[in-house]
Amino acid sequence: MAEEARDEPLDALDARLLLLLTDEPRLGVLECSRRLGVARGTVQARLDRLVRRGVLGGFPPALDLAAMGYGLTAFAILEIAQGRRQEVARRLADIDEVCEVHATTGQGDLLVRMVARSNDDLQRVIDEVVDAAGVQRTSTAIALSTPIPPRVRPLLERLLDDA
């Protein structure tokens, strides 16, 4: 992907379209065009461009992990052996309860978000994480609540304010 295309700023129509799909991800192109007051082809071209640029990665359903039985969320900071980050990340990807992993600066090397069904289940997941070759030390914290869930709305609304 050309770097210039990735750096191209989103405009107000892009922001309005993404806000609409954030609120109602099941909307079709025709309904989006009707609500935005633009041609169907315009919406389709915008969606294609947003996908091509990597802004829009797909339309996964919003799942409530607690309703699926995974009511416990924890975060682990992993310190890993020099040069083993990719190997550890591959091993973590094999653990179903690991939801995301970020390479970080600071005290640890990887920040891992994981879920579990109970404290005992979390211990099993942590044991699997620690068992990954290259993991030297972990520090885990259990999330008590999520006062601000993952969000992008404020960033999209800022685009509208700046327009």
Side-chain angles (χ1 to χ4, degrees), residues 96-135:
D96 296 339
E97 294 84 0
V98 170
C99 297
E100 62 185 296
V101 177
H102 300 271
T104 60
T105 62
Q107 195 161 3
D109 301 303
L110 296 175
L111 175 65
V112 179
R113 181 173 68 95
M114 61 188 102
V115 295
R117 295 181 181 277
S118 64
N119 286 346
D120 288 340
D121 191 40
L122 178 61
Q123 183 63 62
R124 178 192 57 78
V125 174
I126 291 170
D127 289 345
E128 283 190 57
V129 168
V130 171
D131 195 43
V135 173

